[in-house]
Amino acid sequence: MIVNKRLLLRAKHGAFSRAGGMKLTSTKAAALRCGISSMPPPPRLFLEVADHRSRPAALLVKAGDKVRKFQQLSRTVDLSQAPVFSPLSATVAAISRDAHTRRTTIRLDILASDENAESETLPPLTDYGSLTAAQITERIAILGVSGLGGRGMPVAHKLAAAKKRRVQQLIINAVESDPDISADEAMIRERSKAVVEGARILQRASSAERCGIAISKEKKAAIAALRAALAGSDIELLILPTHYPLGEEHRLIYALFGTETAPSASILDAGFLCFNAATAHAVALAVNRGEPMISRIVSVDGPTPLRPQNCEVLFGTPIWHLLEVCGADPAQKDRTLINGSMRGQLLENTQAVVHSGVRGVRILDASELLQSDELERNCINCGHCVSACPVNLQPQALFRASRARDTFQLAALGLEDCIDCGLCDQVCPSHLPLRDYFGAGRSEMRLWQGSVDRADHFRNRFDAHQARAERKLRRPQSVALAARQSDSKTEFSRTSAKAEIAAAVARVKARRAERAEDQGSPRKDDD
Amino acid sequence: MPLVTPWSRFVQRQADSAAWQRWTCLGLLAPTALVAATTDAGFLANLLLIIVSALAADAIAAWLRGISPGAVLADYSALSFALMFALTLAAEAPWWLGMSGAVFGLFIAKQAFGGHGEYLFQPLAAAYVFTRLGFPEFSGPSLMDTATAALCADIPATALIALALLTGALPLLILKAVDWRIPGVVFLTLILSLALSRSIDPPLWAFNTIIFTAQPSLLLVILFVATDPVTSPVTARGRSLFALLIALPMAVGAWTVDLTTAMAIVLLANFLTPLIDLMCRPRIFGHQNRGSVFLD
């Protein structure tokens, strides 16, 4: 184990402390007082399967089926989507698809029986060292491991993208700089060995030259656990100061290595690969034990009577059920935030469930609510947001452009590079909901980009059509004549025509059958 | 039932733009009281008239624009405008001059440009220059500078007013409501020019620069008008450049600079603010250059 002390030094005097960001008051202590608590299984689970491109998800079960723990419920077309597994033995009560959100929900009624089912998909493994990188990636893909850092991208998808490029540095991100989420920290305290194991597996799978676990220095217990687990290993422990939003991968890489990477670009281009610590843990479970990903640790925080804690929650558990189990007051549930107060969203869907992207749930205290006389005022150009922005954007200008729906200006001001950290929102003296404005600006940009793409597509089609027509016109007379003659030479025969038609019909039928088997949908893919 | 919005837990404990304006008004109370004590009751009557007409102009303009007048008045910007504007008036100003200035400042310079936060020219500077250019016959030095009646035995009233203005601006600087760079760079430039000029012509320059910087009306311009965040650039570098643009003509003009000139200098600097913002826009993290140029 190598502890990089230089980093701390650089962190004190280095460039990144000047480039925005902030030290925030942490409220993690309450949830970290006790260890990870496991939640009793809820009576019902609602597993969501997103559409793949324009196709509804390919399900392997139908309503009324009995499924066992770890049974695979959906199939995927490529690596960009992870399959879904049943977290417990259950009955499939209903399957419904929401055309608006383009998600299929599988309702599972939990059976009170066999808890200790084994993975059906893959047997446990004694030594992953015998596998090649591609085999490890395949195993991860089959077991549906997704990133647990918030975006929920399938790990195998990221690894496949990394395969095409040379990864110099793999980073296991345990920084968790949000002030009120402590899920990773609680996990590392108890399961540091599995995290380190996951880091090794990921290093092997990505063929990274170096691997480091990044963590901020205030997580003392977690650092001690990691030190113990890392003894004798060549994985680096990268200790960073407490600073928000250092957990964001582009900021993290800048703080660690001084390499600036544009937040709108992938860090892979610079030779870095980053996974969340909880993801590394899930990878270790999947590769070594053959367990698909069915649960995650969620940080629950809020005012009394809620008991702040870190809970291991099965995917598909309704968030309100989780809050009830943790003792939340039902009257307060309408002010629930998902994923922390800085980057989070207000929970408006009462049926929302825990999935791989839910890191923390937080009920806001009455004193943390903005009152009606503190609502949005005019932007006065004070510049606090400009000095707070860790990526040097100009939030006040972005706000005006978003309000004016000026997509050119939004693009020029670099909205794509916004990391959505919420610091501008926090410092704004006029209480402008800047993150909301930027969200609206982003969708405006998407619409604009869509219309541009559509226009390009049809322009290209038209140009191609024109070119074809022109070629036809310009075709030399002799060639055209020869073609006509060769057409007339082949004599029309009733039998050969019949045979051709029959062959074509058979081809179409075969293709249809194949597609129906593959997708369970007759719709034609339009990409 | 009041509308309650759940929001970031940190927002509440953080800065509040209405509180900044309240602090501005509070900071102006002491200088106003000192001026009132050294002049006759006419000043107080004038002050009242200006406050009433400023609030009325702001509310009517808001109503015309279809915005709730209550919400516009609640940010205290009209009140702070009125307090400052009353201080800048000359002794011989008739009652309607202050009123028309207030109406011009809030109706034209502020609300016609889109209200608080959107105006291009500082309303106070615009209103002041308007009254000076429109009615040059009443363009004497402001009441602050002519306060002669001694309040204490040895200290002149103007020095006391200057001190009160400095103290009044202190909370704004501490709260970061105004950027310290603007008064900082202006004072630094003036001190440097003093040091430079002392070496050229010691007696004359030294005396004049000290008198010049202690002038309450110029302090008002430097501390309260030039620092208005709405009309100053948004980045730290831009603000320093902006302050330099204000300070250099003042340093060169030295003792010939009076309130009118100072206000005009601020107006000219406001004129350049969008350009400065464009020139000083920061390089986005991870990008090589500052991106394409887009003017609003």
Side-chain angles (χ1 to χ4, degrees):
Chain A
M1 182 190 61
I2 308 144
V3 177
N4 202 334
K5 284 268 170 61
R6 270 187 312 125
L7 290 175
L8 269 179
L9 214 70
R10 185 144 99 212
K12 254 183 206 158
H13 313 288
F16 90 89
S17 53
R18 288 199 301 270
M22 221 168 269
K23 194 167 177 175
L24 299 173
T25 326
S26 157
T27 56
K28 296 178 185 187
L32 284 169
R33 215 159 282 147
C34 49
I36 299 168
S37 54
S38 60
M39 192 186 137
R44 277 190 201 94
L45 292 175
F46 300 85
L47 291 167
E48 287 181 345
V49 193
D51 281 9
H52 186 75
R53 301 216 175 116
S54 56
R55 290 191 199 122
L59 298 184
L60 298 171
V61 289
K62 55 185 187 299
D65 282 3
K66 279 210 159 52
V67 291
R68 274 171 301 164
K69 188 180 180 181
F70 293 144
Q71 185 175 334
Q72 190 172 349
L73 303 181
S74 78
R75 209 157 39 143
T76 53
V77 182
D78 58 26
L79 292 178
S80 66
Q81 206 182 17
V84 173
F85 295 84
S86 172
L88 285 175
S89 300
T91 319
V92 179
I95 292 173
S96 58
R97 181 169 179 272
D98 187 339
H100 178 65
T101 58
R102 300 163 115 206
R103 281 172 188 282
T104 307
T105 306
I106 307 171
R107 202 186 102 192
L108 295 176
D109 285 348
I110 302 305
L111 298 173
S113 61
D114 51 359
E115 271 295 300
N116 44 3
E118 282 191 0
S119 167
E120 299 204 330
T121 328
L122 289 174
L125 200 68
T126 46
D127 177 28
Y128 68 85
S130 58
L131 301 183
T132 63
Q135 281 169 324
I136 295 176
T137 307
E138 196 192 343
R139 208 172 154 84
I140 291 171
I142 290 170
L143 291 166
V145 185
S146 296
L148 294 169
R151 270 184 300 169
M153 190 202 244
V155 174
H157 188 54
K158 230 174 178 177
L159 285 172
K163 211 177 97 181
K164 294 169 197 150
R165 267 161 278 192
R166 215 167 69 100
V167 179
Q168 288 170 338
Q169 175 79 43
L170 172 71
I171 303 160
I172 303 300
N173 183 355
V175 175
E176 207 172 39
S177 56
D178 298 70
D180 48 6
I181 298 180
S182 51
D184 288 357
E185 190 177 356
M187 198 250 333
I188 292 172
R189 282 184 184 188
E190 293 183 22
R191 304 173 188 177
S192 58
K193 275 209 177 108
V195 173
V196 172
E197 184 74 0
R200 280 202 199 97
I201 295 170
L202 284 169
Q203 185 177 12
R204 192 176 169 84
S206 63
S207 318
E209 285 166 24
R210 291 185 305 277
C211 175
I213 300 179
I215 192 162
S216 53
K217 69 172 180 212
E218 91 285 357
K219 301 182 175 63
K220 295 207 169 65
I223 291 175
L226 276 177
R227 271 180 209 271
L230 280 170
S233 155
D234 60 346
I235 295 177
E236 266 187 303
L237 188 63
L238 310 162
I239 299 172
L240 287 153
T242 314
H243 205 72
Y244 181 82
L246 264 191
E248 200 276 327
E249 54 189 27
H250 297 85
R251 306 291 311 157
L252 183 61
I253 285 164
Y254 182 49
L256 289 171
F257 308 104
T259 314
E260 279 195 30
T261 47
S264 54
S266 164
I267 55 168
L268 258 178
D269 298 337
F272 294 100
L273 188 61
C274 189
F275 288 103
N276 187 266
T279 315
H281 175 257
V283 163
L285 286 191
V287 172
N288 285 344
R289 289 200 219 157
E291 278 182 19
M293 202 167 81
I294 54 158
S295 68
R296 68 156 301 145
I297 295 166
V298 179
S299 196
V300 184
D301 196 6
T304 48
L306 182 125
R307 298 176 298 277
Q309 57 193 288
N310 284 293
C311 241
E312 177 141 32
V313 189
L314 296 173
F315 290 153
T317 305
I319 287 171
W320 281 24
H321 179 81
L322 168 67
L323 289 173
E324 265 165 31
V325 169
C326 294
D329 180 359
Q332 297 176 341
K333 281 197 290 196
D334 59 345
R335 29 171 141 123
T336 307
L337 279 180
I338 299 296
N339 284 348
S341 49
M342 295 305 289
R343 313 179 65 158
Q345 295 289 336
L346 184 64
L347 181 70
E348 279 167 77
N349 177 10
T350 54
Q351 284 154 2
V353 296
V354 172
H355 53 86
S356 59
V358 178
R359 296 182 296 147
V361 183
R362 180 190 165 86
I363 293 186
L364 290 167
D365 194 67
S367 67
E368 295 165 350
L369 301 174
L370 278 182
Q371 301 303 318
S372 51
D373 62 333
E374 294 172 309
L375 291 179
E376 187 169 342
R377 287 196 206 99
N378 288 348
C379 168
I380 55 163
N381 250 23
C382 66
H384 283 205
C385 52
V386 177
S387 47
C389 183
V391 287
N392 297 342
L393 296 175
Q394 297 193 62
Q396 100 288 355
L398 281 169
F399 155 70
R400 291 201 162 88
S402 304
R403 208 175 44 178
R405 301 185 165 197
D406 186 345
T407 42
F408 280 105
Q409 188 75 270
L410 283 172
L413 290 166
L415 182 60
E416 285 166 342
D417 287 302
C418 169
I419 59 170
D420 205 28
C421 67
L423 280 174
C424 51
D425 211 317
Q426 188 222 320
V427 297
C428 180
S430 295
H431 305 309
L432 292 167
L434 291 169
R435 277 185 57 227
D436 280 3
Y437 276 106
F438 299 163
R442 271 191 208 101
S443 50
E444 202 68 40
M445 272 174 85
R446 264 199 299 276
L447 282 177
W448 171 66
Q449 192 58 49
S451 66
V452 168
D453 289 349
R454 235 179 350 267
D456 283 349
H457 173 71
F458 285 113
R459 193 184 306 107
N460 290 344
R461 260 179 69 156
F462 177 71
D463 287 349
H465 175 260
Q466 290 292 90
R468 272 199 307 279
E470 208 165 303
R471 268 204 307 277
K472 216 171 181 180
L473 272 180
R474 282 206 194 136
R475 200 153 54 161
Q477 199 71 32
S478 56
V479 177
L481 254 176
R484 213 175 296 147
Q485 277 165 2
S486 72
D487 279 351
S488 59
K489 259 182 209 164
T490 46
E491 274 182 30
F492 179 76
S493 135
R494 195 169 281 270
T495 47
S496 68
K498 262 189 177 170
E500 267 178 38
I501 289 168
V505 167
R507 270 204 306 279
V508 169
K509 268 186 183 163
R511 208 182 302 146
R512 268 197 195 150
E514 189 183 304
R515 198 183 300 144
E517 196 179 85
D518 208 38
Q519 298 307 323
S521 154
R523 271 183 67 184
K524 191 179 182 298
D525 194 353
D526 47 17
D527 344 271
Chain B
M1 189 185 149
L3 176 66
V4 174
T5 317
W7 204 246
S8 167
R9 52 191 296 257
F10 303 100
V11 169
Q12 271 223 319
R13 317 271 175 263
Q14 285 296 321
D16 183 3
S17 56
W20 293 353
Q21 290 290 345
R22 283 199 290 274
W23 276 107
T24 313
C25 296
L26 276 176
L28 289 166
L29 278 185
T32 311
L34 282 172
V35 172
T38 50
T39 52
D40 52 358
F43 170 74
L44 277 181
N46 218 353
L47 174 70
L48 204 67
L49 198 64
I50 290 173
I51 291 176
V52 170
S53 49
L55 294 180
D58 216 21
I60 292 169
W63 176 70
L64 284 174
R65 289 177 57 213
I67 310 169
S68 149
V72 168
L73 293 181
D75 66 12
Y76 294 87
S77 55
L79 186 62
S80 66
F81 169 89
L83 286 174
M84 282 193 268
F85 191 56
L87 286 176
T88 61
L89 281 181
E92 68 268 28
W95 63 271
W96 49 265
L97 188 68
M99 214 175 94
S100 55
V103 169
F104 177 85
L106 290 176
F107 215 93
I108 308 287
K110 182 183 163 192
Q111 294 290 358
F113 278 85
H116 194 44
E118 300 294 330
Y119 49 77
L120 276 179
F121 302 103
Q122 220 292 328
L124 181 68
Y128 185 83
V129 170
F130 163 74
T131 51
R132 281 295 141 116
L133 292 182
F135 311 99
E137 61 270 32
F138 306 116
S139 55
S142 79
L143 278 170
M144 286 186 287
D145 299 334
T146 52
T148 44
L151 289 168
C152 301
D154 304 325
I155 314 165
T158 48
L160 273 180
I161 297 171
L163 202 67
L165 280 169
L166 274 173
T167 333
L170 213 58
L172 296 177
L173 288 165
I174 292 168
L175 288 171
K176 293 185 182 171
V178 300
D179 200 330
W180 61 268
R181 288 175 189 85
I182 294 176
V185 168
V186 171
F187 288 133
L188 192 73
T189 315
L190 292 177
I191 289 166
L192 284 180
S193 79
L194 167 74
L196 193 72
S197 51
R198 270 179 81 97
S199 58
I200 300 166
D201 191 352
L204 179 75
W205 282 81
F207 175 74
N208 277 307
T209 315
I210 289 165
I211 292 296
F212 161 69
T213 40
Q215 230 176 307
S217 58
L218 292 185
L219 275 181
L220 182 83
V221 172
I222 295 167
L223 292 171
F224 290 91
V225 182
T227 53
D228 185 353
V230 180
T231 51
S232 54
V234 79
T235 54
R237 267 198 310 163
R239 282 182 177 163
S240 305
L241 187 61
F242 174 81
L244 205 63
L245 279 176
I246 290 175
L248 282 179
M250 283 187 177
V252 172
W255 68 93
T256 57
V257 172
D258 60 354
L259 185 55
T260 316
T261 330
M263 289 283 196
I265 291 171
V266 171
L267 272 188
L268 280 176
N270 288 346
F271 196 76
L272 291 172
T273 295
L275 186 67
I276 297 173
D277 263 338
L278 194 70
M279 284 163 59
C280 295
R281 69 194 186 287
R283 182 182 62 84
I284 298 171
F285 177 79
H287 288 260
Q288 289 301 314
N289 48 33
R290 292 191 194 147
S292 55
V293 172
F294 271 83
L295 268 172
D296 263 317

